[in-house]
């Protein structure tokens, strides 16, 4: 019986880890250069912190942790779901009260579980900010790179444990923060070598559009429908909107807005006249103009596109919204985020505006692997291995090895004096680029034979020069 | 209602994170220099992988994850503990079979939970090796730095979520591997600045001692008792051993062995005559002599002490055992490990010997904090901040900032043109060492005023020279 891991989870082998570390290090370096500070929160949060924050669907996807000790201790009969009690063969005459109770496996779960695994990094961040508000210097710039867990049905590219890389500035309404995030997107994907388009939109513009076509109160329905434009096409969006009670006439006004073309500036000019009746909408246009003004003045090299169909599902966004797509690889968005004006309100700390984006590590990894973007250094862990001939040769090799390591060169010695072929096989399979031989001849002359495993070339090097040679 | 986190868990604030990253980076760098490869396994393992691996006590401390969906669906009446059923008021005449079932909350837990959080990094490592044995090149050198979870009663210095840093070599019986671990201990604590003693012993020696005093079959009891020597003293150890059925006479033979003094070599010589009748014991002594031979030949600077009372609780050790203590700070062991000959046997892959150690991140952190060992660089995240005066000055500052960041200098701009005092307060509270001012005067001359926040010193620097100046 071979052991296995839960479906939807993964082991990361050394090769994968070395690549992932390269990716994470690149991202974190950019975050740090931009003055963001690291934060980590516990894997487990109180369920009361998590429940109700991700919609009904999200609640179902939370992994819940069974209370320790006798978790059945405080259960009452009415906590058990009726189908379970019926199995026991309860008598309806005797137990009517219990059998008609509204308990379900969901309500029972909250009686036997107080904790759950974090579902994203945003809610724990909001919780942290509220809990530690007196210690935090605002505006608070934090990054957080940790796994999250969702009990989603596993499928290709969708996992039950995956990493998020979030960066947020909270406690400042300045649009400079949005501009910083644009710069971070440019720099991260520039360093990783991924060609991207940054799609920008603004929730206020979406509200303005809804208002202008006469359905301010249906903004969420409109948002949800047009978010699907790219996937399902204009006709299907129309169908969905009509089914939500939007009139043909209103859709007639909406359609040309969604089909606006030209440069970002041209789009904004046309949009301004289309939604000129909405104060909120005009505010959104102004925000976008400010952001574009900065990115132009700073000569941002990024391909930025105003995309009026970009909506992003999450309810808490109130201003700019971002989404990044890889140009040369077919995959969903690889990064996204936006401005939220009241994320901490759910925990009792109102009026704290923030803006943030999240990098999707798994998809970025897939893009890099697919486009062969991991540099060779990001695949080599150990630079050199000493063969082991036992006795005095072994000791000389071990001493030389200690010296290499002291010079920061990742290296090792084969741990026993096995047959030469076995040792070379090991070096080969591990992909170690240099093999170092200190045999009896070399020992006499204080030299080592350095073999380049990719060219097969061999050279004699003074042992004292090995570190210099391998740097 | 202020939000909170589950007891025994922690948020790591930016200051703590920066220190922890310094510590982890130091440890990982040493691991990599020694040719170890990174590995990560999922937070959740199948409960079948975890149960029975840590003793009954450990099983109780596993965090179990409630099955998704309707977890009550497959429950049978006899899965429910009798006390719970009695609460419902079941009729003993009608339900005798169910009410006398042996279900407890523990057995019920295994019916509604298939997964648990990992309890350590060793069992997941063994599981990984067995599962991926055909892809792994042995000897396999891996390190793993990840959190683990235990439902222990929280107390000072004991958490329910904490990090382990494990390093293991599996698939080689060579004692060179033990020597490498000794070198790693020396280097890690040398780099972190912690004075330590490495205590060494060998399970074969402990077996030899048990055999020599006539109680080979009570080796575990003897091991457990003498492991407590330092804590409870010789008399209490004696009492415990007598209560386990060890005779006065046998204890009379054991005592002088535990009280052996002198250098490691002297101890081994005396020990050799004391346990000369035990073949296993002599093998253990030989192993220790080999290891000491290497560490002397390599001029290891570490303080290594043969400690015959060192036993370590974990059953799976079969050879050398290690434990590291800080000399200048009162805290338990900060690192420990040993040789195991059959860790993977539990998953059906026998005869795969390995050796490893685990660094206790939380205790090492406490030692470093207590002894003030974190270097100043490990507390500063952001090196410079530009004040914000709006308009053209803001844009000039933002451009200069972009240049600094391109040079890898972590820096930021205050996001809005707030009052000078507010901006300086922010810089102060954040502990940012340099403030950069580009006001209207500076803008005209293409200079910036650079203020050193610790000395108060101000100087005028050409904007183009800022990066050079701050490197």
């Amino acid at each position: 019986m071979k052991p296995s891991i839960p479906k939807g989870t993964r082991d990361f082998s050394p090769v994968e880890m070395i690549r992932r570390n390269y990716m994470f290090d690149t991202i974190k370096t950019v975050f740090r250069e931009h003055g963001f500070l690291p934060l980590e929160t516990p894997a487990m949060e109180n369920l009361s912190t998590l429940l109700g924050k991700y919609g009904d669907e999200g609640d179902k996807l939370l992994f819940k942790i069974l209370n320790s000790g006798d978790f059945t201790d405080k259960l009452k009969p009415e906590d058990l779901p009726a189908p379970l009690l019926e199995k026991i063969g309860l008598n309806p005459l005797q137990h009517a009260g219990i059998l008609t109770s509204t308990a379900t496996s969901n309500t029972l779960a909250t009686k036997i579980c107080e904790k759950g695994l974090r579902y994203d990094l945003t809610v724990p961040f909001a919780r942290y900010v509220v809990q530690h508000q007196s210690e935090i210097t605002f505006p608070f710039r934090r990054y957080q790179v940790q796994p999250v867990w969702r009990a989603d049905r596993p499928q290709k590219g969708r996992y039950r444990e995956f990493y998020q890389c979030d960066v947020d500035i909270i406690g400042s309404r300045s649009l400079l923060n949005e501009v910083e995030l644009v710069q971070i997107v440019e720099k991260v994907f520039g360093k990783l070598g991924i060609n991207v388009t940054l799609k920008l939109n603004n929730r206020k513009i979406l509200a303005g559009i809804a208002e202008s076509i006469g359905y301010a109160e249906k903004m969420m329905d409109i948002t949800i429908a047009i978010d699907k434009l790219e996937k399902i096409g204009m006709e299907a969006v129309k169908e969905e909107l009509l089914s939500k009670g939007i009139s043909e006439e209103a859709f007639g006004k909406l359609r040309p807005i969604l089909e606006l073309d030209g440069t970002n500036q041209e789009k904004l000019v046309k949009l301004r006249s289309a939604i000129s009746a909405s104060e909120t909408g005009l505010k959104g246009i102004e925000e976008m103009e400010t952001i574009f003004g900065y990115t132009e003045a700073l000569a941002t090299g990024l391909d930025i596109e105003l995309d009026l169909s970009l909506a992003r599902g999450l309810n808490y966004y109130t201003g700019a919204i971002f989404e990044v797509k890889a140009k040369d690889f077919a995959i969903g968005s690889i990064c996204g985020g936006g401005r939220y004006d009241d994320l901490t309100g759910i925990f009792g700390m109102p009026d704290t505006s923030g803006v943030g984006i999240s990098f999707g590590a798994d998809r970025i990894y897939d893009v890099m692997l697919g486009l062969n973007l991991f540099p060779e250094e990001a695949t080599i862990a150990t630079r050199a291995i000493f063969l082991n001939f036992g006795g005095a040769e072994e000791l000389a090799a071990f001493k030389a090895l200690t010296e290499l390591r002291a010079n920061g060169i990742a290296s090792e010695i084969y741990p026993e004096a096995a047959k030469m072929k076995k040792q070379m096989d090991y070096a080969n399979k591990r992909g170690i680029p240099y093999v170092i031989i200190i045999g009896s001849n070399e020992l006499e002359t204080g030299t080592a034979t350095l073999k380049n495993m990719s060219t097969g070339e061999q050279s004699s090097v003074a042992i004292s020069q090995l570190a210099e040679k391998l740097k």
Side-chain angles (χ1 to χ4, degrees), chain A:
Chain A
M1 223 198 50
K2 218 179 163 183
S4 64
I5 51 177
K7 61 179 179 180
T9 69
R10 292 163 293 172
D11 289 315
F12 294 112
S13 72
V15 173
E16 291 165 315
M17 278 300 296
I18 290 163
R19 292 197 190 111
R20 285 172 69 87
N21 285 342
Y22 168 80
M23 174 182 71
F24 285 126
D25 287 347
T26 304
I27 295 173
K28 287 181 193 170
T29 299
V30 174
F31 291 168
R32 279 193 290 257
E33 280 170 5
H34 282 253
F36 287 86
L37 304 173
L39 177 74
E40 277 186 16
T41 61
M44 300 187 279
E45 293 275 353
N46 291 323
L47 270 183
S48 57
T49 298
L50 301 175
L51 284 168
K53 309 305 188 296
Y54 307 104
D56 288 349
E57 213 31 59
D59 281 355
K60 281 187 204 144
L61 300 184
L62 292 173
F63 279 112
K64 299 176 188 75
I65 293 162
L66 196 65
N67 292 343
S68 313
D70 186 355
F71 63 92
T72 62
D73 203 29
K74 283 177 191 154
L75 283 182
K76 298 190 197 102
E78 58 270 29
D79 294 332
L80 298 178
L84 180 59
L85 293 170
E86 273 163 25
K87 270 196 227 167
I88 302 174
L90 286 197
N91 180 341
L93 287 175
Q94 215 181 330
H95 296 95
I98 305 178
L99 286 171
T100 55
S101 87
T102 56
T104 64
S105 63
N106 270 337
T107 60
L108 175 57
T110 61
K111 307 276 178 186
I112 59 178
C113 300
E114 276 167 12
K115 295 178 286 288
L117 294 179
R118 70 174 161 254
Y119 179 89
D120 69 2
L121 302 178
T122 307
V123 167
F125 172 55
R127 191 266 310 146
Y128 177 87
V129 167
V130 176
Q131 192 177 334
H132 297 272
Q133 53 187 292
S134 61
E135 307 142 37
I136 293 173
T137 307
F138 293 98
F140 180 45
R141 308 157 74 81
R142 88 86 173 77
Y143 70 86
Q144 190 168 355
V145 177
Q146 288 191 284
V148 301
W149 295 270
R150 296 183 186 176
D152 240 323
R153 190 184 302 274
Q155 58 184 54
K156 194 180 172 317
R158 193 203 281 161
Y159 304 103
R160 293 185 145 193
E161 174 180 59
F162 57 97
Y163 272 74
Q164 291 191 333
C165 314
D166 277 25
V167 61
D168 289 82
I169 306 152
I170 196 164
S172 160
R173 293 183 189 277
S174 165
L175 294 171
L176 269 191
N177 299 316
E178 273 81 345
V179 178
E180 292 235 7
L181 297 183
V182 172
Q183 286 189 318
I184 285 177
V185 166
E186 178 182 13
K187 213 187 271 183
V188 164
F189 292 111
K191 286 195 177 192
L192 295 177
I194 304 176
N195 283 320
V196 298
T197 301
L198 172 65
K199 298 192 172 198
L200 265 184
N201 197 7
N202 193 300
R203 272 290 166 94
K204 296 192 180 79
I205 291 179
L206 289 171
I209 292 173
E211 210 182 315
S212 301
I213 65 170
Y215 287 96
E217 80 290 358
K218 288 198 190 284
M219 184 202 158
M220 274 319 295
D221 286 337
I222 296 172
T223 300
I224 289 168
I226 69 179
D227 200 23
K228 301 179 190 160
L229 182 58
E230 197 182 350
K231 253 193 204 154
I232 63 176
M234 190 64 85
E235 284 316 303
V237 169
K238 177 177 178 181
E239 212 169 293
E240 178 165 333
L241 285 172
L242 298 189
S243 81
K244 295 283 179 187
I246 307 285
S247 71
E248 278 276 359
E249 193 203 339
F251 182 77
K253 287 184 193 166
L254 174 63
R255 183 173 192 139
I257 295 176
L258 295 179
E259 289 175 341
L260 280 183
D261 57 7
T263 65
N264 295 330
Q265 295 299 351
E266 287 164 2
K267 280 188 202 167
L268 284 176
V269 168
K270 293 179 204 162
L271 187 64
R272 183 181 284 276
S273 71
I275 65 172
S276 58
S278 160
E279 207 178 310
T280 308
L282 291 176
K283 181 83 178 59
I285 292 177
E286 219 172 89
E287 288 183 9
M288 297 310 284
E289 283 173 341
T290 304
I291 294 170
F292 286 129
Y294 275 113
T295 57
E296 269 162 40
L298 292 164
T300 306
L302 193 63
D303 183 6
I304 306 177
E305 186 195 322
L306 175 64
D307 180 351
L308 296 172
S309 77
L310 176 64
R312 289 191 68 80
L314 292 166
N315 283 348
Y316 50 73
Y317 291 131
T318 51
I321 41 186
F322 306 94
E323 200 163 280
V324 178
K325 291 236 171 186
K327 285 185 186 177
D328 311 319
F329 198 83
I331 203 166
S333 90
I334 55 178
C335 176
R339 161 75 63 177
Y340 42 83
D341 280 339
D342 196 25
L343 190 61
T344 55
I346 43 176
F347 297 117
M349 181 185 173
D351 295 325
T352 310
S353 186
V355 59
I357 48 172
S358 180
F359 289 80
D362 291 291
R363 284 186 176 174
I364 295 173
Y365 182 92
D366 287 348
V367 172
M368 293 187 66
L369 203 62
L371 297 176
N372 205 11
L373 294 176
F374 287 105
E376 209 188 329
E377 315 89 83
T379 60
I380 293 170
T382 303
R383 205 154 156 69
I385 181 168
F386 288 84
L387 299 193
N388 190 332
F389 302 102
E393 289 86 343
E394 178 191 82
L395 197 59
F398 213 142
K399 284 180 180 170
L401 169 65
T402 304
E403 189 60 25
L404 283 196
R405 288 168 171 170
N407 278 278
I409 297 164
S411 42
E412 56 186 85
I413 182 169
Y414 196 83
E416 44 221 297
K419 285 197 179 132
M420 181 93 165
K421 187 183 173 313
K422 191 175 179 189
Q423 299 192 43
M424 289 300 282
D425 270 1
Y426 172 83
N428 251 323
K429 279 193 197 149
R430 280 279 314 277
I432 300 174
Y434 289 97
V435 165
I436 304 171
I437 296 163
I438 301 183
S440 53
N441 290 342
E442 285 89 351
L443 192 55
E444 263 174 41
T445 56
T447 58
T449 299
L450 182 66
K451 178 169 181 161
N452 181 320
M453 293 293 277
S454 60
T455 65
E457 201 186 326
Q458 294 199 169
S459 58
S460 175
V461 178
I463 291 180
S464 58
Q465 293 298 307
L466 274 174
E468 193 53 41
K469 197 86 184 176
L470 285 167
K471 257 186 183 168

